[in-house]
Amino acid sequence: MWKLKIAEGGSPWLITVNNHVGRQIWDFDPNLGSPEELMEIEKARNNFTNNRFQKKHSSDLLMRLQFSKENPVSVVLPQVKVEESENITEGMVTNTLRRAINFHSSLQAHDGHWPGDYGGPMFLMPGLVITLSITGALNAVLSEEHKKEMCRYLYNHQNEDGGWGLHIEGPSTMFGSVLSYVTLRLLGEGANDGQGAMERGKGWILSCGGATEITSWGKMWLSVLGVFEWSGNNPLPPEIWLLPYMLPIHPGRMWCHCRMVYLPMSYLYGKRFVGPITPTVLSLRKELFTIPYHEIDWNQARNACAKEDLYYPHPLVQDILWASLDKVVEPILMHWPGKKLREKALQTAIKHIHYEDENTRYICIGPVNKVLNMLCCWVEDPNSEAFKLHLPRIYDFLWLAEDGMKMQGYNGSQLWDTAFTVQAIISTNLTEEYGPTLRKANMFMKNTQVLEDCPGDLNFWYRHISKGAWPFSTADHGWPISDCTAEGLKAVLLLSKIPPKIVGEPLEAKRLYNAVNAILSLQNTDGGFATYELTRSYRWLELINPAETFGDIVIDYPYVECTSAAIQALTSFRNSHSGHRQEEIDQCIQKAAKFIENVQASDGSWYGSWGVCFTYGTWFGVKGLVAAGKNFNNCSSIRKACNFLLSKQLPSGGWGESYLSCQKKVYSNIEGNRPHVVNTGWAMLALMDAGQAERDPTPLHNGARYLINSQMENGDFPQQEIMGVFNKNCMITYAAYRNIFPIWALGEYRTRLFQWS
């Protein structure tokens, strides 16, 4: 049986700054599990597979089943249902909250964080399997049980038409389909296996033009595997790293996720690296294309992209740029004396790769550059210590649920979910009842703050300061993020107001000051906050975004979510530490509030870039303006936002927004106008912050009724449609949101509608 292990090392090749706090890995032990437990797991798996086309999102049941045995809820309070004609009482809300927090507390790990599924994208695991296959480490790293669960996952998320999407809920794309098919083949599945699933997958690929139509990232992966020619790729010259920083196109000015992915890609491209040509690789050359491999026009393939994948079509300027590099510049750099420059560029690139690896303890900023960096280390030296240090960190990215084993979009969302959960529980005014839960969370928050900047000259490595910040996941990962730092600061400030005998000692003042310093350092000149760093270049740089599948990836844009979180954190800090850098903080809040007002849409909404979508953005927009001292009466932006949210409430009382809003940038209801507990939580929180309870509480009563009636028998809430997003077009799972936001919304509802009155 599989078991989730928390905060464990277990390998001499693992490096850690805080004794692995936050680490979550799945381990298989054949001796674990009673017949009843194994039957329960099998039932959950079968249930998912049988309903996979109706419900594409897993409910993270394997972790829940394990924790229900390890941390059983002692008393499950009776379930509450509210009739349409019935008034909601404080007792009903309190009972629902206790049931919800009791259940959610049982999912807390012993190190204080809430583990959970952070999967969703379908293009992450293929990179890992291709890399392990090339380096010969596949069987050493992945047990037969790992492979079995990975195959289960891929088969479970194959669409009815035979293809695979960019993410688990998306329509079939060439990128998702080719990479998923290739992954299954490398994991040992035959071309006719899977009860016809492999044939249907191949059928979809060939009917849509074959693998020459895959996106640029897909072309790169197939090229290193040996299933595509490098001449069929647009150039990724590593020499870009040798340009002077003053140029707007220097990679050091790009969004860190963008530069950290294209850094190892440029290294592999510069070397034209190709892995061993195995019988499976030769077979894939026959399976994936509509014409024989040796007849393919690779020059034409460079710009080919299936219509199903084309979210960001290449503008003409890109076609001219890539053609010039391919036909003029590359031939010079591939031969002496230009080759000398190529060698220097490759040395620069690998130096930056090693710096990233060492400063994330070989976790890396994300799963794409994790496996690319690992491959580069092996290409440089197959016996290198760097490659060996990479291997045990693979497990940090793997998550298991009833739909199978997936590769997550990060090494988890540990800090993010914990910071939100702390705020949600404290909002209920039931803190004394949940002292042990909050004490563990407080310990986790303290253990996860980044205590030092990265070593060396930060400008040389294009890094921002880290000291005092909080990361999205763990301290070992360590990349600082503006909104994670802000939510972390909000959480520890709230915890500091509760007696230490209940939640433990508060974070010391010096570390609070470091967090404030990190936040203040991230404000852009327009008042907005981007994610990891300041916005370093211009919006027109998006013209050279080579990734057809993603939008807004080239620079770190300012976002309403990050800006709002910064305002809230700084306001909270100013209220409790009024003497520290007050003038700077006041100016920062003022400028940030102005930014939020400026980016509001004419219909009163804000576009959310990290959650679905206008509901999420509008929650942050309202919350930020209210924290900055504005209210419904003195701020037209808040009035417009309330009107927008009220116009989207469904007859059921809830709100339900589809991920299609993110892609289309137009509000879209979930199919069938179904409500969603997470969207409902966000909308209610925004309205309550804007004083809806004082004006007309009816919409809040209706929303609360929907949330109360949605709660399951055990105190959990149902997993509904996917609610996270990145780069406009790819969705990602936040498994804890279904618990956090109903608790938070009902907590605020309880205190504002029953206790304040």
Side-chain angles (χ1 to χ4, degrees):
M1 189 171 88
W2 287 93
K3 185 179 181 183
L4 178 64
K5 293 185 170 180
I6 301 294
E8 289 191 20
S11 164
W13 294 100
L14 281 169
I15 302 165
T16 181
V17 297
N18 67 350
N19 208 20
H20 300 292
V21 167
R23 188 168 193 243
Q24 43 187 42
I25 57 159
W26 286 91
D27 184 57
F28 186 79
D29 183 343
N31 301 315
L32 275 184
S34 66
E36 292 75 26
E37 286 171 324
L38 295 171
M39 213 162 79
E40 219 175 345
I41 289 167
E42 215 44 48
K43 186 181 164 189
R45 286 172 174 158
N46 291 336
N47 193 34
F48 182 85
T49 301
N50 295 337
N51 298 289
R52 67 191 185 278
F53 298 129
Q54 292 74 45
K55 191 169 181 291
K56 297 187 174 188
H57 203 301
S58 69
S59 296
D60 216 6
L61 292 180
L62 269 58
M63 182 199 80
R64 281 164 163 72
L65 289 171
Q66 178 182 323
F67 280 32
S68 70
K69 307 286 188 296
E70 292 176 4
N71 314 322
V73 178
S74 49
V75 180
V76 179
L77 299 167
Q79 198 168 0
V80 177
K81 293 290 178 193
V82 189
E83 298 298 328
E84 195 69 36
S85 56
E86 203 176 353
N87 286 333
I88 299 172
T89 64
E90 185 182 351
M92 290 172 171
V93 182
T94 306
N95 191 67
T96 303
L97 282 168
R98 285 193 175 117
R99 285 166 44 76
I101 303 171
N102 287 346
F103 179 81
H104 198 46
S105 295
S106 77
L107 301 181
Q108 187 181 27
H110 62 78
D111 67 356
H113 86 278
W114 275 265
D117 184 348
Y118 191 59
M122 293 298 294
F123 61 89
L124 304 176
M125 194 159 63
L128 170 65
V129 173
I130 289 170
T131 296
L132 290 176
S133 180
I134 290 168
T135 57
L138 187 73
N139 295 327
V141 172
L142 301 179
S143 67
E144 288 308 310
E145 291 296 330
H146 279 95
K147 291 185 217 166
K148 184 172 138 188
E149 290 305 324
M150 287 175 163
C151 291
R152 185 198 307 278
Y153 178 74
L154 291 168
Y155 283 135
N156 268 332
H157 291 289
Q158 185 177 21
N159 289 329
E160 285 183 274
D161 62 10
W164 285 266
L166 180 65
H167 56 88
I168 56 173
E169 292 190 14
S172 298
T173 61
M174 191 62 76
F175 188 34
S177 300
V178 171
L179 290 187
S180 296
Y181 180 87
V182 166
T183 304
L184 284 164
R185 294 286 282 111
L186 295 176
L187 288 171
E189 295 295 284
N192 303 313
D193 283 354
Q195 298 172 318
M198 293 297 284
E199 286 164 297
R200 285 187 292 112
K202 185 168 73 171
W204 188 93
I205 292 164
L206 297 177
S207 70
C208 292
T212 48
E213 301 291 312
I214 199 171
T215 60
S216 56
W217 284 23
K219 288 174 166 64
M220 185 279 313
W221 276 121
L222 295 181
S223 298
V224 295
L225 182 62
V227 183
F228 208 89
E229 295 300 308
W230 277 111
S231 56
N233 287 253
N234 277 319
L236 293 168
E239 287 74 16
I240 192 171
W241 287 87
L242 301 178
L243 295 172
Y245 185 78
M246 69 175 77
L247 293 177
I249 60 164
H250 190 284
R253 292 178 172 274
M254 294 175 184
W255 184 40
C256 51
H257 274 283
C258 180
R259 72 170 179 269
M260 285 300 166
V261 164
Y262 283 105
L263 168 66
M265 280 186 183
S266 72
Y267 181 82
L268 295 167
Y269 176 81
K271 281 193 168 284
R272 300 296 198 278
F273 169 77
V274 180
I277 304 301
T278 64
T280 304
V281 168
L282 291 172
S283 188
L284 283 166
R285 287 182 177 183
K286 292 177 186 163
E287 293 164 36
L288 293 173
F289 301 97
T290 55
I291 59 171
Y293 189 78
H294 65 275
E295 291 177 19
I296 294 168
D297 181 341
W298 294 109
N299 184 52
Q300 196 181 346
R302 274 192 310 110
N303 291 313
C305 182
K307 66 181 189 310
E308 292 81 2
D309 294 65
L310 212 52
Y311 182 73
Y312 181 78
H314 287 177
L316 179 63
V317 67
Q318 260 196 62
D319 292 340
I320 295 167
L321 173 66
W322 304 140
S324 307
L325 287 170
D326 187 57
K327 300 287 178 272
V328 180
V329 180
E330 274 301 311
I332 294 169
L333 293 169
M334 292 296 283
H335 301 95
W336 192 90
K339 209 170 170 58
K340 288 280 182 199
L341 190 65
R342 171 62 40 102
E343 283 162 13
K344 186 183 178 187
L346 290 169
Q347 283 167 8
T348 301
I350 200 73
K351 203 158 57 170
H352 281 275
I353 286 167
H354 290 318
Y355 186 83
E356 155 73 347
D357 290 347
E358 288 158 18
N359 287 291
T360 58
R361 278 49 64 185
Y362 291 82
I363 295 168
C364 300
I365 196 171
V368 178
N369 85 313
K370 157 71 186 169
V371 291
L372 283 167
N373 282 15
M374 184 167 84
L375 181 56
C376 291
C377 291
W378 186 84
V379 171
E380 185 194 26
D381 175 5
N383 298 310
S384 67
E385 190 172 289
F387 180 67
K388 290 169 188 160
L389 286 161
H390 262 292
L391 291 172
R393 283 298 187 186
I394 288 168
Y395 305 113
D396 295 50
F397 284 93
L398 301 179
W399 187 264
L400 187 72
E402 69 272 22
D403 58 341
M405 181 167 273
K406 61 209 76 178
M407 192 172 194
Q408 302 185 102
Y410 226 72
N411 63 323
S413 52
Q414 294 91 318
L415 181 281
W416 185 247
D417 290 340
T418 304
F420 272 161
T421 300
V422 166
Q423 295 175 71
I425 293 175
I426 291 174
S427 78
T428 65
N429 234 353
L430 299 170
T431 42
E432 289 199 21
E433 295 179 34
Y434 297 100
T437 301
L438 292 170
R439 178 182 281 269
K440 284 196 290 183
N442 192 19
M443 175 182 71
F444 178 78
M445 300 298 302
K446 289 190 280 191
N447 284 332
T448 306
Q449 189 181 21
V450 181
L451 302 180
E452 296 297 337
D453 289 330
C454 289
D457 178 359
L458 296 183
N459 290 331
F460 178 81
W461 300 107
Y462 317 114
R463 285 296 298 260
H464 196 80
I465 63 167
S466 312
K467 187 176 179 176
W470 272 276
F472 181 72
S473 56
T474 62
D476 280 341
H477 181 286
W479 271 87
I481 310 182
S482 61
D483 55 353
C484 299
T485 304
E487 298 299 342
L489 182 56
K490 283 163 64 186
V492 296
L493 287 169
L494 284 171
L495 288 162
S496 72
K497 294 174 186 170
I498 303 169
K501 69 175 192 294
I502 298 174
V503 298
E505 292 301 318
L507 192 70
E508 60 196 68
K510 190 173 82 176
R511 286 172 64 178
L512 296 175
Y513 298 160
N514 290 340
V516 168
N517 184 59
I519 293 171
L520 290 172
S521 74
L522 284 162
Q523 187 171 38
N524 287 301
T525 51
D526 64 0
F529 285 75
T531 55
Y532 295 78
E533 296 160 342
L534 291 162
T535 304
R536 296 175 176 177
S537 201
Y538 306 96
R539 286 177 182 269
W540 58 257
L541 220 63
E542 210 60 48
L543 283 170
I544 60 162
N545 169 8
E548 305 87 342
T549 312
F550 308 113
D552 290 358
I553 69 162
V554 181
I555 65 168
D556 202 348
Y557 293 88
Y559 298 100
V560 66
E561 299 100 313
C562 300
T563 308
S564 167
I567 293 174
Q568 294 170 54
L570 292 173
T571 304
S572 181
F573 175 81
R574 183 177 63 184
N575 293 343
S576 54
H577 296 74
S578 55
H580 185 78
R581 297 176 74 170
Q582 185 152 353
E583 199 178 322
E584 281 175 82
I585 289 170
D586 289 347
Q587 285 174 358
C588 175
I589 290 169
Q590 214 174 346
K591 277 175 68 180
K594 194 87 197 124
F595 171 85
I596 290 177
E597 288 179 320
N598 289 342
V599 296
Q600 186 179 28
S602 56
D603 65 359
S605 68
W606 282 271
Y607 179 87
S609 296
W610 306 102
V612 177
C613 168
F614 293 98
T615 325
Y616 187 68
T618 304
W619 171 48
F620 274 99
V622 169
K623 214 164 165 52
L625 292 177
V626 170
K630 298 179 186 294
N631 59 48
F632 186 88
N633 297 323
N634 68 17
C635 179
S636 63
S637 286
I638 292 177
R639 290 195 294 276
K640 281 159 64 181
C642 290
N643 290 337
F644 170 79
L645 288 172
L646 292 171
S647 75
K648 302 302 177 191
Q649 191 169 23
L650 298 164
S652 59
W655 282 258
E657 190 178 1
S658 164
Y659 78 80
L660 295 172
S661 293
C662 306
Q663 293 176 349
K664 296 175 179 175
K665 301 182 186 175
V666 174
Y667 190 97
S668 310
N669 281 333
I670 291 171
E671 194 182 341
N673 289 341
R674 290 193 303 274
H676 196 296
V677 293
V678 177
N679 291 135
T680 303
W682 292 334
M684 284 180 67
L685 285 165
L687 289 168
M688 285 185 283
D689 251 5
Q692 187 67 36
E694 292 81 60
R695 290 188 302 280
D696 173 16
T698 308
L700 302 174
H701 294 320
N702 293 337
R705 181 180 288 107
Y706 164 68
L707 290 180
I708 292 168
N709 289 339
S710 296
Q711 191 175 37
M712 294 156 67
E713 207 174 324
N714 61 355
D716 199 357
F717 285 87
Q719 176 61 60
Q720 298 163 301
E721 287 77 7
I722 203 158
M723 275 291 122
V725 64
F726 60 93
N727 301 128
K728 305 283 186 282
N729 195 37
C730 194
M731 305 304 129
I732 197 157
T733 295
Y734 285 88
Y737 276 15
R738 76 200 223 212
N739 304 97
I740 294 168
F741 290 105
I743 290 171
W744 200 342
L746 289 172
E748 291 283 354
Y749 177 77
R750 176 179 184 260
T751 51
R752 288 172 187 269
L753 276 96
F754 295 104
Q755 301 199 325
W756 288 8
S757 57

